[in-house]
């Protein structure tokens, strides 16, 4: 049994689908999960990952855990040690942690990764860069006025399609040979916010105007739904990325056996959200 936390999110949803398609037994865990959110036949549990006690029914009898430590988990003071202890008590032997590329560049504290590595479980760490799906933040403005507002308009980063993160996660959860590995996951090429706006315009068949925000305007917007320390780290990456954060990683292609998708492909597949 594989337990997937964050099962209704941008990575969790395609991950659950991929695991089910591969014939795996899956328990889907999310604070908002319902029968409509997961494929037929998938066991689902509504629980807050930040509270290990709520997770115990899902972990009992499981052997593998996909652990997502989101901004909400950080904001709630999530107890990753408690989650890992509950996992071991339930019988879990392997954990795949969805971390962040910012850990590798020391933008984010590596505490969660260190906890997983010292847990006694077989572990794999996934460090994605920026998600292509972060562009959903612009959807209302694109629908209303065909505009995208973002800071650092010409700073390019190799954002990754969440479906590709899910594809890597599915392989590492199901296959042997990934224990002790840390994979940095990026898209195939750097793309700037201005270029992303143009790609969304191409996807919907209408021009989308790019408006450059100040850093303070972006900070104010992000603070409405992200913890302050995550906002500051995010703005630092977006505005002054390190060479490592701008570098395209080969890890996704090595694991899934094909190149990761471009942002333009993500935008074309999700064009309805912006129309």
């Amino acid at each position: 049994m594989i337990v997937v936390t964050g099962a209704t999110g941008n990575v969790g949803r395609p991950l659950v689908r991929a695991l089910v398609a591969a014939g795996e037994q899956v328990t889907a865990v999310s604070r908002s999960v319902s029968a409509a959110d997961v494929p037929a036949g998938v066991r689902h549990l509504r629980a807050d990952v930040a509270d290990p006690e709520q997770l115990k029914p899902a972990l009992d009898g499981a052997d593998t855990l996909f652990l997502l430590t989101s901004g909400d988990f950080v904001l709630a003071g999530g107890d990753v040690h408690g989650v890992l202890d509950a996992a071991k008590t339930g019988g879990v032997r392997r954990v795949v942690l969805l971390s962040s590329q910012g850990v590798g560049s020391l933008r984010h504290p590596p505490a969660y990764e260190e906890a997983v590595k010292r847990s006694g479980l077989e572990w794999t760490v996934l460090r994605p860069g920026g998600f292509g799906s972060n562009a959903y933040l612009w959807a209302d403005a694109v629908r209303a006025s065909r505009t995208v507002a973002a800071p650092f308009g010409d700073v390019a980063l190799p954002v990754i399609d969440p479906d590709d993160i899910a594809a890597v996660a599915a392989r590492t959860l199901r296959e042997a040979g990934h224990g002790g590995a840390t994979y940095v996951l990026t898209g195939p090429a750097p793309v700037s916010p201005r270029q992303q706006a143009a790609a969304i315009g191409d996807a919907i068949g209408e021009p989308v105007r790019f408006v450059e925000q100040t850093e303070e305007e972006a900070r104010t917007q992000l603070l409405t739904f992200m913890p302050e320390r995550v906002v500051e780290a995010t703005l630092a990456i977006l505005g002054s990325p390190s060479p490592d954060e701008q570098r395209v990683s080969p890890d996704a292609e090595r694991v899934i056996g094909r190149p990761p998708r471009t942002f333009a492909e993500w935008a074309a597949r999700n064009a309805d959200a912006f129309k």
Side-chain angles (χ1 to χ4, degrees):
M1 173 68 73
I2 299 174
V3 175
V4 176
T5 63
T8 58
N10 290 318
V11 174
R13 193 184 299 271
L15 174 56
V16 170
R17 290 198 303 263
L19 292 172
V20 170
E24 299 290 345
Q25 288 187 304
V26 179
T27 295
V29 178
S30 174
R31 290 185 304 171
S32 61
V33 74
S34 70
D37 293 323
V38 297
V42 171
R43 179 188 178 209
H44 53 91
L45 176 69
R46 187 172 183 174
D48 188 342
V49 180
D51 182 353
E53 286 298 318
Q54 293 186 27
L55 272 182
K56 285 182 177 179
L59 295 168
D60 188 28
D63 52 43
T64 308
L65 170 65
F66 177 75
L67 179 57
L68 183 147
T69 52
S70 64
D72 289 338
F73 184 90
V74 174
L75 189 61
D79 179 10
V80 71
H81 294 282
V83 172
L84 294 169
D85 287 344
K88 287 190 288 186
T89 299
V92 169
R93 300 188 303 275
R94 178 191 300 182
V95 59
V96 175
L97 174 70
L98 185 63
S99 183
S100 165
Q101 189 181 9
V103 171
S105 61
L106 300 181
R107 303 274 191 170
H108 301 305
Y112 294 159
E113 288 193 11
E114 289 304 314
V116 166
K117 291 175 182 179
R118 295 176 181 175
S119 67
L121 299 169
E122 181 180 318
W123 59 267
T124 305
V125 171
L126 309 183
R127 290 180 178 171
F131 289 19
S133 56
N134 291 344
Y136 283 137
L137 180 64
W138 304 329
D140 288 346
V142 172
R143 289 194 300 267
S145 60
R146 295 294 188 254
T147 61
V148 161
F152 316 118
D154 296 306
V155 178
L157 292 165
V159 300
I160 184 164
D161 188 325
D163 279 23
D164 287 333
I165 302 172
V168 172
R171 290 288 184 94
T172 59
L173 288 163
R174 298 183 60 243
E175 299 175 349
H178 300 287
T182 297
Y183 296 124
V184 175
L185 306 180
T186 72
V191 56
S192 70
R194 195 183 307 276
Q195 291 169 326
Q196 291 179 49
I200 292 169
D202 290 343
I204 65 175
E206 294 185 34
V208 171
R209 183 171 64 94
F210 180 79
V211 178
E212 186 145 7
Q213 289 179 313
T214 67
E215 186 172 345
E216 190 55 39
E217 288 170 338
R219 179 179 289 106
T220 299
Q221 182 180 25
L222 293 174
L223 283 171
T224 63
F225 61 91
M226 292 169 63
E228 183 175 4
R229 62 176 172 168
V230 177
V231 169
E232 295 305 326
T234 298
L235 289 173
I237 293 172
L238 294 177
S240 301
S242 69
D244 281 346
E245 289 161 347
Q246 291 183 296
R247 186 176 296 118
V248 172
S249 169
D251 289 351
E253 183 169 1
R254 285 174 178 167
V255 174
I256 61 180
R258 61 164 175 78
R261 300 178 181 90
T262 65
F263 179 82
E265 291 175 295
W266 178 88
R269 199 173 70 250
N270 295 280
D272 286 349
F274 299 92
K275 291 182 178 179

